[in-house]
Amino acid sequence: PQRGLIMPSDFIQLAEDSGLILQIGEWVLASACRQLLLWAHNPATSHLSLSVNVSPRQYQQSDFVEQVLQLVKATGINPEKLKLELTESILVDNVEDIIIKMNALSTIGVGFSLDDFGTGYSSLSYLKRLPLGQLKIDQSFVRDISRTDRDTSIVHTIINLGQNLGLEVLAEGVETEEQLAFLIEHGCQLFQGYLFSKPLPVKQFEAFQKTIKA
C-alpha cells in the first residue's frame, strides 16, 4: 500500500513469469462479463462493448475456450459485445492452436483484435487465417506520424492493409489534434488516447460517455 498505484508496465511481466497472470486474467475476464451484463440492462449503455487484453499464457491453456464459453453462459451476456485482444508475439508459438481457439470463440460471436500491430513478428499470411475484426496501430507509430516520414508511411500502410482486409483500424496513443486529423484524413476509423480521456473508473466513464453523446 505504501507504494501507491503500480502501473501494468511494472507488474505484468512479473505476473507472466510467476504464473499469476492466469488468475489475474480470469478475474479480468469475469469482471468484464459482469460489467457487460450491467450495461446491457441500461438503455444508455446497452450499445457498449468491452475489449480485454488476454495474456499469451491464457490463450495457451487447454481449457481457455471452455473458460470463456462458461463465462458467457453463466452471465448471459451477448458475446458480440466482448472483444479479446491478442498481441503478435502470441503468434510466434503454436499458431495453429491459437487459430483453432479463436475460430471456436468467433463462432459464438466473440470478437478479436490484434493489439500493437507492427511491433511483433507475425507473418502477414496469418492475417487472412485469423478471425480478426480489428487491427490496433501501436502508439509508437502514432506518436511521430507528423515528425518522421517512416512512421507516417507505416501508419498509412497499416490503415490501407486493414481496409483492404475488411478490418476495423484503431489508432492507439492519440494525444494531439494534429495526429487525429492525419488519421482521419487517411481513413482510420477508431481512436484511443489521452486526447479524449485518461483511463477512468466505470462510474466516471459512464458519466463521460454521456457527455460525448450530448
Side-chain angles (χ1 to χ4, degrees):
Q2 63 269 25
R3 292 189 61 181
L5 182 65
I6 301 174
M7 302 304 290
S9 59
D10 296 323
F11 72 80
I12 288 294
Q13 190 57 55
L14 178 61
E16 289 274 7
D17 295 341
S18 66
L20 284 173
I21 195 68
L22 298 179
Q23 293 167 271
I24 294 173
E26 290 173 10
W27 172 76
V28 170
L29 264 176
S31 298
C33 289
R34 287 194 295 269
Q35 188 60 57
L36 283 172
L37 185 62
L38 291 173
W39 281 346
H41 292 155
N42 184 343
T45 56
S46 59
H47 65 288
L48 295 175
S49 60
L50 259 179
S51 295
V52 179
N53 292 99
V54 179
S55 150
R57 291 190 67 162
Q58 283 179 271
Y59 273 112
Q60 290 162 7
Q61 293 179 100
S62 60
D63 64 341
F64 175 69
V65 171
E66 186 59 31
Q67 288 180 30
V68 178
L69 293 177
Q70 287 180 357
L71 272 174
V72 170
K73 182 178 180 180
T75 55
I77 64 165
N78 178 357
E80 294 181 359
K81 297 295 185 181
L82 177 65
K83 183 174 293 179
L84 303 182
E85 297 189 9
L86 64 155
T87 59
E88 289 182 286
S89 61
I90 199 175
L91 302 176
V92 176
D93 298 316
N94 206 2
V95 66
E96 298 301 329
D97 179 61
I98 298 299
I99 291 173
I100 290 171
K101 290 174 179 174
M102 290 176 67
N103 282 328
L105 291 173
S106 67
T107 58
I108 68 164
V110 174
F112 289 92
S113 176
L114 190 57
D115 198 12
D116 301 335
F117 184 71
T119 63
Y121 309 99
S122 68
S123 166
L124 292 179
S125 66
Y126 294 151
L127 290 182
K128 66 180 183 180
R129 300 180 58 202
L130 297 171
L132 293 169
Q134 183 182 86
L135 295 181
K136 298 183 73 173
I137 307 173
D138 187 70
Q139 61 182 334
S140 63
F141 302 128
V142 174
R143 186 182 302 120
D144 294 323
I145 53 177
S146 61
R147 295 196 291 268
T148 71
D149 291 339
R150 285 189 175 184
D151 286 310
T152 298
S153 297
I154 289 172
V155 170
H156 193 190
T157 298
I158 293 174
I159 293 172
N160 285 339
L161 176 65
Q163 290 175 336
N164 290 333
L165 292 174
L167 304 176
E168 291 181 342
V169 180
L170 184 151
E172 299 177 309
V174 180
E175 298 184 354
T176 69
E177 293 287 352
E178 186 179 11
Q179 292 168 344
L180 179 62
F182 174 92
L183 291 162
I184 292 174
E185 179 184 351
H186 288 81
C188 190
Q189 305 114 318
L190 299 169
F191 320 92
Q192 68 181 58
Y194 285 1
L195 177 62
F196 311 102
S197 174
K198 292 186 176 181
L200 298 171
V202 171
K203 293 301 180 185
Q204 292 182 32
F205 165 75
E206 290 172 349
F208 173 74
Q209 67 99 21
K210 289 178 183 178
T211 67
I212 297 297
K213 293 176 69 175

